[in-house]
Amino acid sequence: MTQEELTLENLGSSLDDLANLDPRGYGVCKILYRGARAYQGEALTMNAAKKLCTALRQDDVVYLISGFVLRPYNKAETDGIISTMLLARCLIQGFGVRPVIICPDECMPAVEGLASILGFHMTDLADLFSIPLTMSAVAFPKDATAAENFSDTLIDTTGMPRAVISIEAPGANAQGVYHNAIGKSVTDLEAKTDILWEKLYKAGVLNIAIGDLGNEIGMGAIAEHIQKYIPYAGVGACSCGCDNGILAKTKTDNVITATVSDWGCYGFMAAIAYLKKNLELFHDGAMQERAMRKAAECGVIDMYGWSIPAIDGIGIEMTCAIVEAMRGCVEYTLRLRETCSTWFEKTIEKGFFA
């Protein structure tokens, strides 16, 4: 094992650990992480970052899928769309790619508002390649037939994307039903973005899925584990009458699970910043706070229904602390690489890390 290999393993695990802190204490993130880590075989954030950094080139198209609409408010939640926009910033600055945000119509005001404070431009798909520092966004259909047609048209317009990344986007179960966290159907509320995901997955496009429960796109990758240990996920466990549970049927090659999907995305971005040796690709706590406040102003809501700058019940202070801790991990790893080289050599010699 080399120093860089050991760094990637341990930094990735640290970022995973931060993404899976459990302030609520009910352990769902720990359950998911064990299954995801066994599936992936290495740190989740670093695995996904390595795959993406290897794949992306200037002007590649990357699809970013997000947006979960909550009942009974019929509004989109903050989790997912905030980190999606921050990830778009990271990818534009780090790779010069052309992100396309794919979300329900309820997210569009937040997409436009966040773009205005994060420093890049929004344009129509027709102009995606004409202007630097640009992304596009499309509101995806909620009707399954329309979603099929829209998917084909979107791919024809942009060309096949180099990668597709889903962050807290709903996925249907094996019966075609979309569920909220407590097993109630939200099928009529949700954009059918998993139809697009399936097309890209089958086409072999690099795919990364981020979730925090099991009802999100890609979580079918660890189906057996989720159905066994996550409430409402097993066959017959949901409360909508479909008798198939909340587990999304879609799979992914690269899964990231976290306490909050946004936190998983932040760990992913921090790993990208390390691999690109550029900490500025990953935002800081001040930008995180601005993004959370702007999203709330634009009408997306916390998971518990409050119109406040919080994500899954967790407010600005702790979320910013998570971001700053992740930044610190990357910053010190980069800064102390040469200073600690002898310690790496001696540690590797001891054989604990195979």
Side-chain angles (χ1 to χ4, degrees), residues 146-163:
E148 285 276 357
N149 296 331
F150 193 92
S151 297
D152 293 336
T153 301
L154 180 62
I155 295 169
D156 287 344
T157 301
T158 66
M160 190 66 73
R162 180 70 65 181

mmCIF file of all heavy atoms in Angstrom, residues 146-163:
data_model
loop_
_atom_site.group_PDB
_atom_site.id
_atom_site.type_symbol
_atom_site.label_atom_id
_atom_site.label_comp_id
_atom_site.label_asym_id
_atom_site.label_seq_id
_atom_site.Cartn_x
_atom_site.Cartn_y
_atom_site.Cartn_z
ATOM 1 N N ALA A 146 -45.568 10.441 -20.278
ATOM 2 C CA ALA A 146 -44.893 11.683 -20.640
ATOM 3 C C ALA A 146 -43.423 11.633 -20.252
ATOM 4 O O ALA A 146 -42.555 12.163 -20.968
ATOM 5 C CB ALA A 146 -45.582 12.863 -19.973
ATOM 6 N N ALA A 147 -43.107 10.985 -19.127
ATOM 7 C CA ALA A 147 -41.724 10.871 -18.670
ATOM 8 C C ALA A 147 -40.881 10.050 -19.642
ATOM 9 O O ALA A 147 -39.709 10.372 -19.886
ATOM 10 C CB ALA A 147 -41.678 10.265 -17.278
ATOM 11 N N GLU A 148 -41.453 8.999 -20.183
ATOM 12 C CA GLU A 148 -40.742 8.193 -21.188
ATOM 13 C C GLU A 148 -40.368 9.047 -22.385
ATOM 14 O O GLU A 148 -39.223 9.046 -22.843
ATOM 15 C CB GLU A 148 -41.630 7.027 -21.636
ATOM 16 C CG GLU A 148 -41.748 5.896 -20.644
ATOM 17 C CD GLU A 148 -40.594 4.917 -20.745
ATOM 18 O OE1 GLU A 148 -39.729 5.099 -21.623
ATOM 19 O OE2 GLU A 148 -40.549 3.982 -19.937
ATOM 20 N N ASN A 149 -41.342 9.772 -22.912
ATOM 21 C CA ASN A 149 -41.099 10.598 -24.093
ATOM 22 C C ASN A 149 -40.133 11.739 -23.793
ATOM 23 O O ASN A 149 -39.248 12.051 -24.597
ATOM 24 C CB ASN A 149 -42.425 11.152 -24.609
ATOM 25 C CG ASN A 149 -43.365 10.055 -25.079
ATOM 26 O OD1 ASN A 149 -42.913 8.992 -25.531
ATOM 27 N ND2 ASN A 149 -44.658 10.296 -24.984
ATOM 28 N N PHE A 150 -40.301 12.348 -22.617
ATOM 29 C CA PHE A 150 -39.432 13.465 -22.228
ATOM 30 C C PHE A 150 -37.993 13.001 -22.093
ATOM 31 O O PHE A 150 -37.057 13.720 -22.485
ATOM 32 C CB PHE A 150 -39.933 14.071 -20.923
ATOM 33 C CG PHE A 150 -39.324 15.395 -20.581
ATOM 34 C CD1 PHE A 150 -39.927 16.574 -20.967
ATOM 35 C CD2 PHE A 150 -38.142 15.479 -19.858
ATOM 36 C CE1 PHE A 150 -39.369 17.810 -20.666
ATOM 37 C CE2 PHE A 150 -37.569 16.697 -19.541
ATOM 38 C CZ PHE A 150 -38.191 17.875 -19.950
ATOM 39 N N SER A 151 -37.799 11.809 -21.544
ATOM 40 C CA SER A 151 -36.448 11.262 -21.383
ATOM 41 C C SER A 151 -35.743 11.136 -22.723
ATOM 42 O O SER A 151 -34.576 11.536 -22.880
ATOM 43 C CB SER A 151 -36.510 9.895 -20.704
ATOM 44 O OG SER A 151 -37.033 9.988 -19.400
ATOM 45 N N ASP A 152 -36.449 10.580 -23.700
ATOM 46 C CA ASP A 152 -35.853 10.393 -25.025
ATOM 47 C C ASP A 152 -35.521 11.736 -25.674
ATOM 48 O O ASP A 152 -34.457 11.907 -26.274
ATOM 49 C CB ASP A 152 -36.804 9.594 -25.911
ATOM 50 C CG ASP A 152 -36.984 8.163 -25.442
ATOM 51 O OD1 ASP A 152 -36.080 7.646 -24.749
ATOM 52 O OD2 ASP A 152 -38.023 7.567 -25.755
ATOM 53 N N THR A 153 -36.432 12.689 -25.537
ATOM 54 C CA THR A 153 -36.206 14.014 -26.114
ATOM 55 C C THR A 153 -35.029 14.712 -25.454
ATOM 56 O O THR A 153 -34.201 15.352 -26.126
ATOM 57 C CB THR A 153 -37.468 14.877 -25.979
ATOM 58 O OG1 THR A 153 -38.558 14.239 -26.655
ATOM 59 C CG2 THR A 153 -37.259 16.265 -26.556
ATOM 60 N N LEU A 154 -34.931 14.586 -24.138
ATOM 61 C CA LEU A 154 -33.838 15.216 -23.399
ATOM 62 C C LEU A 154 -32.493 14.672 -23.851
ATOM 63 O O LEU A 154 -31.548 15.432 -24.122
ATOM 64 C CB LEU A 154 -34.035 15.000 -21.900
ATOM 65 C CG LEU A 154 -32.975 15.597 -20.971
ATOM 66 C CD1 LEU A 154 -32.927 17.115 -21.108
ATOM 67 C CD2 LEU A 154 -33.247 15.192 -19.522
ATOM 68 N N ILE A 155 -32.390 13.363 -23.950
ATOM 69 C CA ILE A 155 -31.132 12.736 -24.374
ATOM 70 C C ILE A 155 -30.795 13.129 -25.803
ATOM 71 O O ILE A 155 -29.635 13.410 -26.137
ATOM 72 C CB ILE A 155 -31.214 11.207 -24.215
ATOM 73 C CG1 ILE A 155 -31.343 10.836 -22.740
ATOM 74 C CG2 ILE A 155 -29.987 10.539 -24.821
ATOM 75 C CD1 ILE A 155 -31.690 9.378 -22.494
ATOM 76 N N ASP A 156 -31.808 13.184 -26.672
ATOM 77 C CA ASP A 156 -31.571 13.609 -28.054
ATOM 78 C C ASP A 156 -31.056 15.045 -28.112
ATOM 79 O O ASP A 156 -30.219 15.388 -28.944
ATOM 80 C CB ASP A 156 -32.863 13.503 -28.867
ATOM 81 C CG ASP A 156 -33.256 12.065 -29.178
ATOM 82 O OD1 ASP A 156 -32.393 11.174 -29.044
ATOM 83 O OD2 ASP A 156 -34.422 11.834 -29.547
ATOM 84 N N THR A 157 -31.550 15.899 -27.206
ATOM 85 C CA THR A 157 -31.188 17.315 -27.217
ATOM 86 C C THR A 157 -29.770 17.552 -26.715
ATOM 87 O O THR A 157 -29.001 18.322 -27.306
ATOM 88 C CB THR A 157 -32.184 18.119 -26.366
ATOM 89 O OG1 THR A 157 -33.504 17.952 -26.880
ATOM 90 C CG2 THR A 157 -31.833 19.600 -26.363
ATOM 91 N N THR A 158 -29.408 16.903 -25.614
ATOM 92 C CA THR A 158 -28.099 17.152 -24.989
ATOM 93 C C THR A 158 -27.019 16.191 -25.451
ATOM 94 O O THR A 158 -25.832 16.438 -25.241
ATOM 95 C CB THR A 158 -28.193 17.038 -23.459
ATOM 96 O OG1 THR A 158 -28.489 15.675 -23.093
ATOM 97 C CG2 THR A 158 -29.280 17.956 -22.903
ATOM 98 N N GLY A 159 -27.429 15.085 -26.057
ATOM 99 C CA GLY A 159 -26.525 13.976 -26.256
ATOM 100 C C GLY A 159 -26.464 13.146 -24.981
ATOM 101 O O GLY A 159 -26.874 13.595 -23.904
ATOM 102 N N MET A 160 -25.959 11.928 -25.082
ATOM 103 C CA MET A 160 -25.862 11.065 -23.912
ATOM 104 C C MET A 160 -24.936 11.700 -22.877
ATOM 105 O O MET A 160 -23.819 12.087 -23.196
ATOM 106 C CB MET A 160 -25.322 9.697 -24.311
ATOM 107 C CG MET A 160 -25.414 8.652 -23.214
ATOM 108 S SD MET A 160 -27.123 8.201 -22.757
ATOM 109 C CE MET A 160 -27.635 7.228 -24.175
ATOM 110 N N PRO A 161 -25.404 11.842 -21.641
ATOM 111 C CA PRO A 161 -24.545 12.454 -20.623
ATOM 112 C C PRO A 161 -23.361 11.560 -20.275
ATOM 113 O O PRO A 161 -23.432 10.341 -20.420
ATOM 114 C CB PRO A 161 -25.480 12.617 -19.431
ATOM 115 C CG PRO A 161 -26.495 11.529 -19.608
ATOM 116 C CD PRO A 161 -26.704 11.414 -21.091
ATOM 117 N N ARG A 162 -22.288 12.190 -19.792
ATOM 118 C CA ARG A 162 -21.130 11.415 -19.340
ATOM 119 C C ARG A 162 -21.430 10.733 -18.011
ATOM 120 O O ARG A 162 -20.908 9.652 -17.720
ATOM 121 C CB ARG A 162 -19.920 12.333 -19.185
ATOM 122 C CG ARG A 162 -18.659 11.633 -18.712
ATOM 123 C CD ARG A 162 -18.075 10.730 -19.753
ATOM 124 N NE ARG A 162 -17.614 11.498 -20.904
ATOM 125 C CZ ARG A 162 -17.066 10.957 -21.990
ATOM 126 N NH1 ARG A 162 -16.948 9.648 -22.093
ATOM 127 N NH2 ARG A 162 -16.668 11.724 -22.992
ATOM 128 N N ALA A 163 -22.264 11.385 -17.183
ATOM 129 C CA ALA A 163 -22.595 10.830 -15.869
ATOM 130 C C ALA A 163 -23.983 11.302 -15.474
ATOM 131 O O ALA A 163 -24.466 12.340 -15.940
ATOM 132 C CB ALA A 163 -21.581 11.272 -14.823
#
